[in-house]
Amino acid sequence: MSKKVFSRPRSLKEAVFHYCPGCGHSIAHRLVAEVIDELDIRSRVIGIPPAGCAVLAYNYFDVDMIEAQHGRGPATATGIKRARPDSIVFSYQGDGDLAAIGIAESLHAANRGENITVIFINNACYGMTGGQMAPTTMLQQRTTTTPSGRNNILDGYPVKVSEIFSRLPGVTYLERVTVNSPAGVNKTKKAIKKAFRCQIDGLGFSLIEILSPCPTNWKLSPVDSCKWIDDVMSKEFPLGVFKDNTGAGKKTGEAAP
Amino acid sequence: MNKVLMSGNNIIGEAAIRSGCRFYAGYPITPQNELTEYMAEHMREAPGGVFIQSESEIAAIHMIIGASATGARVMTSSSSPGISLKQEGISSMAACELPGVIVNIMRGGPGLGNIRPAQGDYFQATRGGGHGDYRTIVFGPATCQELADLTMSAYDLADKYRTPVMILADGMMGQMMEPVIFKKPKPRHYNENFILKGAGSGKSKFIRGLILDAIDMEEHNWKLERKYQVIKARETLHEEHRTEDAKLVIVAYGTAARIAKGAIKRLRDNGMQVGLFRPITLWPFPEAELRALSARVKKFLVFEMSTGQMLDDVRLALQGYADIEFHGRPGGVVPTPSELANVIARHYKETGK
């Protein structure tokens, strides 16, 4: 007798991902969908795709979604969550979206402690537009707009989102993970689950930074891309839990009544 | 219904809350701060009411987009430079067909300009303002009573046509106090199918403005345009004041129209047959109504607190059937009725009685 051990998550549509071979988005999408299924929250999830490679995420996620303009996901998420507090809201953002054009919206949503979840894909470049320098591009990394490599004097330094955001009192849970190995994928799923759980329990802002391979724009094979995350990227962006206040319970208001 | 004395900015806030607005996001900028402050004080008293002081104008408009998508009646407000920042979101609301009310209490521009009353944002408001092929319904209130009434209408039209609606007033309208009666708002009719609340046990929905296929995008543009044509045919509003025997008609809106009324009173007292044509919807512009007037009036004087923006719409409406003069005071200068009366009188004499 046969037993079904692997199937498409209910929260993913029957569609073929358009992502490049070796791209981390497909894995991240699947993990988010699996977590939504396992936590049984699909009925009240509202997701926000970004501008970027994941702009068509509404073609893949079988949950309610509203597309945000570039970088504005956390502002739109704030509007949704405050107007409909029983919904489970996640914003899916890339590094340009979160750490460049939308850093104000992202930082202030975190600072307000909005009870939302941000899935942050850090692939060290602007993927959809053809591999330009992102705020998270590594020093010396070649991109189409840093053809001789990122120069700290001219182009600044990689922006460390998890390090910066974890300092904000509004942030409840923040972890940096990667999807470059089976162990990393499992860890990433656990982190995503914890972040959504944090929201379900009303504990506040959660953000999962995922170091994600972009073989096409890194000009590396998928296997070498996974290796590059281990050898180079995770040295600049160390993995780990940067903030975990989920044990502290719900935040209480401190304003005068 | 009782009359209450309130300032313009506060009236907009009160009318919005009475209309069922339950989500307001805004950022401080003069001369509209009283509206944001009114919402801070009163929005959270309303059941489910949300007030957020956002980190930027951009964040504010995108917050109301999120709230609107979940079915809330929403508002954001600002003044000229802040409205420029909101244009990304206004374009997005038009594309995604999301209702919402945006208030612009105009000040002098361009750039940071100043904080005095001006009407330099007419083009921005009536031509869409942001990128792409779209229009925004724009009201140009001229009294505090209209601020109340048109704010309520703005919510009705925003829902009816699923489109952003703008209240375009200026620092003077925002700051002045007049007695006002808040009418009973109409009950809301909004199709539940357009609301995001999670997929439940059924099919999921999405709201988007991104349409990569050119033919599909073209069809979306034509769909929006057909809607704008219906709005044009059904929702155009204007007022005529003493035009019945007028030989010269002033065309003015908002604060400029109030000044024009003062000037007309003076001129009528001196036997001059002058009247006022006041667009109440700036988009759609009452072009057919203005053209109809040109059958018996051969001279129009456009008066704006700008270098001449509505002037273009008057030219397009009159199509050369009548002479058009212009008087403008941009930059935050508010001319007196007697100054305007002198200008009108000079042109009136040229009509040869």
Side-chain angles (χ1 to χ4, degrees):
Chain A
M1 211 173 83
S2 64
K3 192 180 155 204
K4 197 172 188 181
V5 293
F6 190 81
S7 61
R8 179 186 297 280
R10 168 72 182 90
S11 299
L12 276 187
K13 290 176 181 169
E14 285 194 33
V16 178
F17 289 128
H18 72 279
Y19 300 112
C20 304
C23 170
H25 274 303
S26 331
I27 301 170
H29 280 25
R30 188 186 166 94
L31 295 180
V32 170
E34 285 179 358
V35 165
I36 290 171
D37 285 0
E38 287 167 25
L39 295 173
D40 196 19
I41 50 175
R42 177 185 173 270
S43 59
R44 54 193 181 115
V45 164
I46 301 177
I48 303 169
C53 285
V55 70
L56 295 171
Y58 51 75
N59 285 340
Y60 308 129
F61 283 108
D62 193 10
V63 301
D64 275 8
M65 300 201 101
I66 175 170
E67 156 208 289
Q69 293 281 340
H70 195 25
R72 318 300 176 215
T76 305
T78 297
I80 294 169
K81 188 72 182 188
R82 295 279 196 111
R84 192 173 278 279
D86 60 341
S87 55
I88 301 296
V89 183
F90 78 93
S91 169
Y92 190 103
Q93 299 173 256
D95 39 41
D97 192 276
L98 188 146
I101 198 163
I103 192 147
E105 288 80 0
S106 301
L107 192 119
H108 286 276
N111 190 51
R112 288 190 302 268
E114 296 293 344
N115 190 27
I116 59 171
T117 300
V118 173
I119 305 296
F120 167 39
I121 304 294
N122 178 358
N123 63 5
C125 67
Y126 283 79
M128 186 173 69
T129 46
Q132 294 83 5
M133 179 184 73
T136 52
T137 291
M138 308 288 294
L139 292 177
Q140 280 101 49
Q141 185 184 339
R142 286 173 194 263
T143 70
T144 58
T145 50
T146 53
S148 348
R150 184 174 191 170
N151 176 330
N152 60 313
I153 303 295
L154 300 174
D155 310 314
Y157 297 85
V159 174
K160 300 185 171 191
V161 169
S162 290
E163 283 80 349
I164 296 167
F165 278 51
S166 60
R167 303 295 296 271
L168 298 171
V171 174
T172 303
Y173 188 72
L174 199 159
E175 183 172 352
R176 184 185 281 134
V177 289
T178 178
V179 288
N180 74 338
S181 68
V185 170
N186 286 336
K187 221 169 177 180
T188 301
K189 183 174 171 182
K190 269 190 198 134
I192 292 172
K193 201 167 190 173
K194 187 151 187 184
F196 274 97
R197 171 70 68 192
C198 168
Q199 183 180 168
I200 292 165
D201 294 342
L203 302 179
F205 189 89
S206 51
L207 186 151
I208 304 302
E209 174 173 354
I210 303 172
L211 305 186
S212 177
C214 182
T216 301
N217 288 307
W218 293 353
K219 314 268 186 271
L220 295 172
S221 71
V223 172
D224 287 345
S225 297
C226 290
K227 200 166 172 306
W228 192 74
I229 289 179
D230 277 340
D231 297 346
V232 182
M233 210 175 159
S234 58
K235 301 284 185 290
E236 183 72 25
F237 300 112
L239 308 178
V241 176
F242 283 78
K243 183 98 174 252
D244 184 358
N245 275 356
T246 53
K250 284 195 188 188
K251 291 190 177 75
T252 50
E254 284 169 16
Chain B
M1 279 181 252
N2 291 333
K3 264 190 183 181
V4 286
L5 184 68
M6 288 175 81
S7 77
N9 282 327
N10 290 350
I11 288 166
I12 297 171
E14 180 60 29
I17 293 172
R18 286 178 187 238
S19 300
C21 175
R22 289 297 176 268
F23 191 99
Y24 173 94
Y27 184 89
I29 182 170
T30 309
Q32 64 83 52
N33 292 314
E34 297 81 1
L35 173 51
T36 309
E37 288 161 359
Y38 190 87
M39 290 310 213
E41 196 168 341
H42 298 284
M43 184 54 96
R44 288 168 182 167
E45 292 165 3
V50 178
F51 166 87
I52 301 180
Q53 180 174 330
S54 58
E55 61 272 25
S56 69
E57 306 286 3
I58 299 173
I61 191 86
H62 291 280
M63 285 175 185
I64 75 163
I65 285 175
S68 173
T70 68
R73 277 192 158 174
V74 298
M75 174 176 273
T76 184
S77 65
S78 189
S79 179
S80 309
I83 295 292
S84 296
L85 289 169
K86 291 190 196 296
Q87 294 298 339
E88 174 191 69
I90 298 173
S91 168
S92 200
M93 289 172 86
C96 296
E97 299 192 83
L98 289 169
V101 178
I102 299 131
V103 181
N104 182 1
I105 304 295
M106 287 183 282
R107 53 191 246 179
L112 276 180
N114 60 26
I115 58 171
R116 301 193 57 81
Q119 296 184 321
D121 302 351
Y122 181 91
F123 281 155
Q124 186 195 49
T126 59
R127 268 60 182 167
H131 61 282
D133 253 333
Y134 77 97
R135 297 285 186 161
T136 308
I137 298 172
V138 184
F139 285 119
T143 63
C144 283
Q145 186 59 52
E146 268 191 357
L147 284 176
D149 297 345
L150 294 176
T151 299
M152 290 185 172
S153 299
Y155 281 101
D156 296 334
L157 294 190
D159 283 348
K160 186 173 173 187
Y161 297 103
R162 291 196 294 129
T163 198
V165 179
M166 182 175 280
I167 310 278
L168 189 70
D170 58 53
M172 187 163 234
M173 291 295 312
Q175 306 285 330
M176 73 165 66
M177 291 180 92
E178 280 181 336
V180 60
I181 293 171
F182 291 102
K183 294 173 185 145
K184 199 169 176 266
K186 288 183 192 155
R188 189 182 190 199
H189 300 289
Y190 193 64
N191 190 335
E192 286 269 316
N193 291 332
F194 299 122
I195 296 174
L196 292 188
K197 46 188 168 187
S201 54
K203 240 180 132 232
S204 59
K205 292 194 281 263
F206 57 79
I207 295 175
R208 59 157 183 181
L210 179 90
I211 302 169
L212 291 175
D213 183 88
I215 295 296
D216 291 347
M217 189 69 225
E218 184 190 31
E219 177 42 34
H220 185 60
N221 269 290
W222 286 124
K223 181 190 158 202
L224 294 177
E225 177 56 23
R226 287 191 292 273
K227 174 166 81 176
Y228 300 145
Q229 291 301 329
V230 172
I231 294 171
K232 226 169 156 170
R234 292 188 189 159
E235 310 297 347
T236 307
L237 293 175
H238 80 290
E239 181 205 357
E240 289 186 34
H241 171 71
R242 309 202 72 171
T243 55
E244 56 292 339
D245 62 344
K247 293 195 165 102
L248 184 153
V249 165
I250 323 297
V251 187
Y253 71 96
T255 294
R258 296 175 69 103
I259 298 166
K261 279 189 181 173
I264 288 164
K265 186 173 183 304
R266 283 167 170 76
L267 296 166
R268 284 274 176 180
D269 289 346
N270 288 306
M272 284 180 255
Q273 289 161 275
V274 292
L276 171 72
F277 183 95
R278 179 172 72 91
I280 297 172
T281 50
L282 305 179
W283 194 88
F285 187 80
E287 55 181 32
E289 294 79 356
L290 184 60
R291 188 151 59 246
L293 196 56
S294 73
R296 54 194 164 86
V297 179
K298 291 300 164 197
K299 191 151 194 157
F300 290 84
L301 172 69
V302 179
F303 168 51
E304 295 177 71
M305 284 149 60
S306 76
T307 55
Q309 299 193 11
M310 184 178 66
L311 178 59
D312 281 14
D313 282 336
V314 174
R315 283 177 179 144
L316 287 167
L318 292 177
Q319 297 177 347
Y321 287 118
D323 291 338
I324 303 168
E325 304 288 348
F326 175 72
H327 183 63
R329 294 301 304 269
V333 175
V334 183
T336 60
S338 61
E339 172 191 318
L340 184 63
N342 287 340
V343 174
I344 299 169
R346 200 165 66 236
H347 290 296
Y348 184 83
K349 278 167 192 144
E350 288 164 13
T351 63
K353 302 268 159 32

